[in-house]
């Protein structure tokens, strides 16, 4: 056993990342497309087995390296013992978690061995962090994150206005929501927007949030209102430094 491809010794950040991606790809195969074969090889009746990934994008279930200490960090031992005592998806998720830890250990072992400095280590981690973890791939969380990232990108402008108080210098806070959905945007985006604001009620009419309506938030009581209910247009809202709803405005005037 060569410790998961120990003869391959990457020396630069790019080479270590390429090594990481190859090993990761092999392990993804074991846990997804080749899962039936992987399952059969992890016989609980056998000794402690490990899942190895190779830079060539291949995988192998084998006994741990015999040399002590091993040339590379070793994967988790005994992944086969838990196979029949758990639901298949839970077992695969557990193997994925341990495999994620091993991949990081190998990558940063090379980083330490070849003297990566702080900037190199940070760059390596950032490159690795751009890829979904094995756990995220196996559990389906990676696909969900891609969808959410797309949604956040499409709605970032609206969300920054809908959910944050903007302050510049001595200016007061203004909060408002001005939906700017393209007509051809898919229904999935609209449904996410509706779900996110579904519990928001207009402080004037009591109706629910609708993604195609303009809303504004009072900076005093922090209640949301339809623009039409408080007679505020999007253009006018752009010039309001601090919005006070009719109720808060009347309360201030009523004070002695």
């Amino acid at each position: 056993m060569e410790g998961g491809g120990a003869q391959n010794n990457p020396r630069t950040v790019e080479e270590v990342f390429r090594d990481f991606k190859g090993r990761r790809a092999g392990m993804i195969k074991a846990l997804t497309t080749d899962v039936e074969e992987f399952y059969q090889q992890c016989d609980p009746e056998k000794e402690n087995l490990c899942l190895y990934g190779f830079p060539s994008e291949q995988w192998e279930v084998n006994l741990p390296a015999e040399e002590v200490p091993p040339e590379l960090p070793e994967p988790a031992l005994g992944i086969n013992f838990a196979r029949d005592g758990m639901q298949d998806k839970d077992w695969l998720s557990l193997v994925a978690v341990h495999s994620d830890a091993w991949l990081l250990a190998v990558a940063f072992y090379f980083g330490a061995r070849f003297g990566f400095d702080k900037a190199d280590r940070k760059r390596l981690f950032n490159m690795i962090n751009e890829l979904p973890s094995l756990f995220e791939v196996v559990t389906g969380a990676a696909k969900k994150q891609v969808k959410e990232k797309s949604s956040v990108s499409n709605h970032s402008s609206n969300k920054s206005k809908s959910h944050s108080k903007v302050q510049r210098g001595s200016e007061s806070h203004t909060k408002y929501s001005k939906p700017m959905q393209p007509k051809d945007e898919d229904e999935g985006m609209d449904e996410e927007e509706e779900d996110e604001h579904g519990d928001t009620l207009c402080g004037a009419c009591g109706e629910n949030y609708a993604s195609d309506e303009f809303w504004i938030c009072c900076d005093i009581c922090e209640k949301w209102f339809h623009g039409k209910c408080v007679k505020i247009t999007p253009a006018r809202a752009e010039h309001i430094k601090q919005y006070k709803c009719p109720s808060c405005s009347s309360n201030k005037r009523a004070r002695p």
Side-chain angles (χ1 to χ4, degrees), residues 6 8-9 11 71-72 108-116:
N8 180 67
N9 289 324
R11 293 174 179 271
E71 187 171 354
L72 285 182
F108 282 89
Y109 161 82
F110 285 129
R113 180 175 176 181
F114 296 113
F116 286 7

PDB file of all heavy atoms in Angstrom, residues 6 8-9 11 71-72 108-116:
ATOM      1  N   ALA A   6       1.397   8.116  -2.574  1.00  0.00           N
ATOM      2  CA  ALA A   6       2.425   8.915  -1.921  1.00  0.00           C
ATOM      3  C   ALA A   6       3.570   9.266  -2.861  1.00  0.00           C
ATOM      4  O   ALA A   6       4.326  10.180  -2.606  1.00  0.00           O
ATOM      5  CB  ALA A   6       2.967   8.175  -0.707  1.00  0.00           C
ATOM      6  N   ASN A   8       3.395  10.597  -5.632  1.00  0.00           N
ATOM      7  CA  ASN A   8       3.118  11.874  -6.243  1.00  0.00           C
ATOM      8  C   ASN A   8       3.401  12.974  -5.231  1.00  0.00           C
ATOM      9  O   ASN A   8       2.762  13.047  -4.192  1.00  0.00           O
ATOM     10  CB  ASN A   8       1.641  11.931  -6.674  1.00  0.00           C
ATOM     11  CG  ASN A   8       1.291  13.250  -7.336  1.00  0.00           C
ATOM     12  OD1 ASN A   8       1.771  13.562  -8.410  1.00  0.00           O
ATOM     13  ND2 ASN A   8       0.435  14.007  -6.664  1.00  0.00           N
ATOM     14  N   ASN A   9       4.376  13.837  -5.509  1.00  0.00           N
ATOM     15  CA  ASN A   9       4.767  14.874  -4.560  1.00  0.00           C
ATOM     16  C   ASN A   9       4.617  16.268  -5.161  1.00  0.00           C
ATOM     17  O   ASN A   9       5.590  16.835  -5.672  1.00  0.00           O
ATOM     18  CB  ASN A   9       6.215  14.659  -4.101  1.00  0.00           C
ATOM     19  CG  ASN A   9       6.342  13.448  -3.187  1.00  0.00           C
ATOM     20  OD1 ASN A   9       5.459  13.168  -2.387  1.00  0.00           O
ATOM     21  ND2 ASN A   9       7.449  12.730  -3.327  1.00  0.00           N
ATOM     22  N   ARG A  11       4.510  20.242  -5.462  1.00  0.00           N
ATOM     23  CA  ARG A  11       5.345  21.184  -4.727  1.00  0.00           C
ATOM     24  C   ARG A  11       4.826  22.621  -4.764  1.00  0.00           C
ATOM     25  O   ARG A  11       5.249  23.442  -3.966  1.00  0.00           O
ATOM     26  CB  ARG A  11       6.778  21.161  -5.281  1.00  0.00           C
ATOM     27  CG  ARG A  11       7.480  19.842  -5.020  1.00  0.00           C
ATOM     28  CD  ARG A  11       8.847  19.797  -5.697  1.00  0.00           C
ATOM     29  NE  ARG A  11       9.533  18.538  -5.422  1.00  0.00           N
ATOM     30  CZ  ARG A  11      10.335  18.338  -4.376  1.00  0.00           C
ATOM     31  NH1 ARG A  11      10.566  19.312  -3.520  1.00  0.00           N
ATOM     32  NH2 ARG A  11      10.918  17.169  -4.192  1.00  0.00           N
ATOM     33  N   GLU A  71       3.824   7.496   4.980  1.00  0.00           N
ATOM     34  CA  GLU A  71       4.389   8.596   4.187  1.00  0.00           C
ATOM     35  C   GLU A  71       3.391   9.729   4.036  1.00  0.00           C
ATOM     36  O   GLU A  71       3.774  10.895   3.955  1.00  0.00           O
ATOM     37  CB  GLU A  71       4.817   8.085   2.813  1.00  0.00           C
ATOM     38  CG  GLU A  71       5.565   9.134   2.008  1.00  0.00           C
ATOM     39  CD  GLU A  71       6.183   8.556   0.749  1.00  0.00           C
ATOM     40  OE1 GLU A  71       6.135   7.332   0.563  1.00  0.00           O
ATOM     41  OE2 GLU A  71       6.726   9.348  -0.048  1.00  0.00           O
ATOM     42  N   LEU A  72       2.109   9.410   3.959  1.00  0.00           N
ATOM     43  CA  LEU A  72       1.046  10.413   3.914  1.00  0.00           C
ATOM     44  C   LEU A  72       0.094  10.183   5.084  1.00  0.00           C
ATOM     45  O   LEU A  72       0.031   9.079   5.624  1.00  0.00           O
ATOM     46  CB  LEU A  72       0.245  10.300   2.607  1.00  0.00           C
ATOM     47  CG  LEU A  72       0.871  10.818   1.322  1.00  0.00           C
ATOM     48  CD1 LEU A  72      -0.103  10.641   0.171  1.00  0.00           C
ATOM     49  CD2 LEU A  72       1.281  12.268   1.441  1.00  0.00           C
ATOM     50  N   PHE A 108      -2.625  19.776   3.096  1.00  0.00           N
ATOM     51  CA  PHE A 108      -1.817  20.640   3.956  1.00  0.00           C
ATOM     52  C   PHE A 108      -0.559  19.931   4.474  1.00  0.00           C
ATOM     53  O   PHE A 108       0.369  20.594   4.933  1.00  0.00           O
ATOM     54  CB  PHE A 108      -2.679  21.209   5.080  1.00  0.00           C
ATOM     55  CG  PHE A 108      -3.542  22.343   4.596  1.00  0.00           C
ATOM     56  CD1 PHE A 108      -4.799  22.113   4.073  1.00  0.00           C
ATOM     57  CD2 PHE A 108      -3.054  23.643   4.601  1.00  0.00           C
ATOM     58  CE1 PHE A 108      -5.570  23.156   3.578  1.00  0.00           C
ATOM     59  CE2 PHE A 108      -3.813  24.689   4.110  1.00  0.00           C
ATOM     60  CZ  PHE A 108      -5.078  24.445   3.598  1.00  0.00           C
ATOM     61  N   TYR A 109      -0.526  18.608   4.367  1.00  0.00           N
ATOM     62  CA  TYR A 109       0.726  17.892   4.607  1.00  0.00           C
ATOM     63  C   TYR A 109       1.750  18.306   3.547  1.00  0.00           C
ATOM     64  O   TYR A 109       2.908  18.624   3.858  1.00  0.00           O
ATOM     65  CB  TYR A 109       0.493  16.376   4.550  1.00  0.00           C
ATOM     66  CG  TYR A 109       1.754  15.584   4.338  1.00  0.00           C
ATOM     67  CD1 TYR A 109       2.606  15.278   5.407  1.00  0.00           C
ATOM     68  CD2 TYR A 109       2.111  15.142   3.064  1.00  0.00           C
ATOM     69  CE1 TYR A 109       3.773  14.557   5.210  1.00  0.00           C
ATOM     70  CE2 TYR A 109       3.273  14.424   2.857  1.00  0.00           C
ATOM     71  CZ  TYR A 109       4.106  14.129   3.927  1.00  0.00           C
ATOM     72  OH  TYR A 109       5.263  13.419   3.721  1.00  0.00           O
ATOM     73  N   PHE A 110       1.309  18.315   2.281  1.00  0.00           N
ATOM     74  CA  PHE A 110       2.212  18.754   1.210  1.00  0.00           C
ATOM     75  C   PHE A 110       2.609  20.216   1.420  1.00  0.00           C
ATOM     76  O   PHE A 110       3.758  20.595   1.202  1.00  0.00           O
ATOM     77  CB  PHE A 110       1.532  18.592  -0.155  1.00  0.00           C
ATOM     78  CG  PHE A 110       1.458  17.169  -0.639  1.00  0.00           C
ATOM     79  CD1 PHE A 110       0.258  16.626  -1.069  1.00  0.00           C
ATOM     80  CD2 PHE A 110       2.595  16.376  -0.675  1.00  0.00           C
ATOM     81  CE1 PHE A 110       0.185  15.324  -1.521  1.00  0.00           C
ATOM     82  CE2 PHE A 110       2.540  15.055  -1.130  1.00  0.00           C
ATOM     83  CZ  PHE A 110       1.326  14.532  -1.558  1.00  0.00           C
ATOM     84  N   GLY A 111       1.634  21.038   1.846  1.00  0.00           N
ATOM     85  CA  GLY A 111       1.944  22.439   2.089  1.00  0.00           C
ATOM     86  C   GLY A 111       3.015  22.612   3.145  1.00  0.00           C
ATOM     87  O   GLY A 111       3.932  23.437   3.003  1.00  0.00           O
ATOM     88  N   ALA A 112       2.922  21.841   4.218  1.00  0.00           N
ATOM     89  CA  ALA A 112       3.925  21.928   5.290  1.00  0.00           C
ATOM     90  C   ALA A 112       5.264  21.363   4.835  1.00  0.00           C
ATOM     91  O   ALA A 112       6.327  21.932   5.118  1.00  0.00           O
ATOM     92  CB  ALA A 112       3.418  21.173   6.517  1.00  0.00           C
ATOM     93  N   ARG A 113       5.196  20.266   4.108  1.00  0.00           N
ATOM     94  CA  ARG A 113       6.431  19.596   3.680  1.00  0.00           C
ATOM     95  C   ARG A 113       7.256  20.473   2.748  1.00  0.00           C
ATOM     96  O   ARG A 113       8.497  20.473   2.814  1.00  0.00           O
ATOM     97  CB  ARG A 113       6.078  18.282   2.980  1.00  0.00           C
ATOM     98  CG  ARG A 113       7.295  17.506   2.498  1.00  0.00           C
ATOM     99  CD  ARG A 113       6.891  16.167   1.931  1.00  0.00           C
ATOM    100  NE  ARG A 113       8.035  15.453   1.371  1.00  0.00           N
ATOM    101  CZ  ARG A 113       7.968  14.261   0.800  1.00  0.00           C
ATOM    102  NH1 ARG A 113       6.792  13.654   0.724  1.00  0.00           N
ATOM    103  NH2 ARG A 113       9.043  13.684   0.308  1.00  0.00           N
ATOM    104  N   PHE A 114       6.577  21.224   1.901  1.00  0.00           N
ATOM    105  CA  PHE A 114       7.288  22.031   0.923  1.00  0.00           C
ATOM    106  C   PHE A 114       7.289  23.509   1.267  1.00  0.00           C
ATOM    107  O   PHE A 114       7.511  24.364   0.412  1.00  0.00           O
ATOM    108  CB  PHE A 114       6.716  21.776  -0.471  1.00  0.00           C
ATOM    109  CG  PHE A 114       6.915  20.354  -0.929  1.00  0.00           C
ATOM    110  CD1 PHE A 114       5.831  19.507  -1.108  1.00  0.00           C
ATOM    111  CD2 PHE A 114       8.191  19.855  -1.129  1.00  0.00           C
ATOM    112  CE1 PHE A 114       6.014  18.199  -1.498  1.00  0.00           C
ATOM    113  CE2 PHE A 114       8.386  18.545  -1.521  1.00  0.00           C
ATOM    114  CZ  PHE A 114       7.304  17.703  -1.703  1.00  0.00           C
ATOM    115  N   GLY A 115       7.040  23.823   2.537  1.00  0.00           N
ATOM    116  CA  GLY A 115       7.278  25.167   3.046  1.00  0.00           C
ATOM    117  C   GLY A 115       6.338  26.248   2.566  1.00  0.00           C
ATOM    118  O   GLY A 115       6.768  27.387   2.360  1.00  0.00           O
ATOM    119  N   PHE A 116       5.058  25.928   2.391  1.00  0.00           N
ATOM    120  CA  PHE A 116       4.112  26.969   2.006  1.00  0.00           C
ATOM    121  C   PHE A 116       4.051  28.026   3.103  1.00  0.00           C
ATOM    122  O   PHE A 116       3.957  27.692   4.292  1.00  0.00           O
ATOM    123  CB  PHE A 116       2.716  26.385   1.798  1.00  0.00           C
ATOM    124  CG  PHE A 116       2.564  25.581   0.531  1.00  0.00           C
ATOM    125  CD1 PHE A 116       3.662  25.290  -0.261  1.00  0.00           C
ATOM    126  CD2 PHE A 116       1.320  25.124   0.130  1.00  0.00           C
ATOM    127  CE1 PHE A 116       3.529  24.538  -1.425  1.00  0.00           C
ATOM    128  CE2 PHE A 116       1.171  24.385  -1.023  1.00  0.00           C
ATOM    129  CZ  PHE A 116       2.280  24.086  -1.807  1.00  0.00           C
TER     130      PHE A 116
END
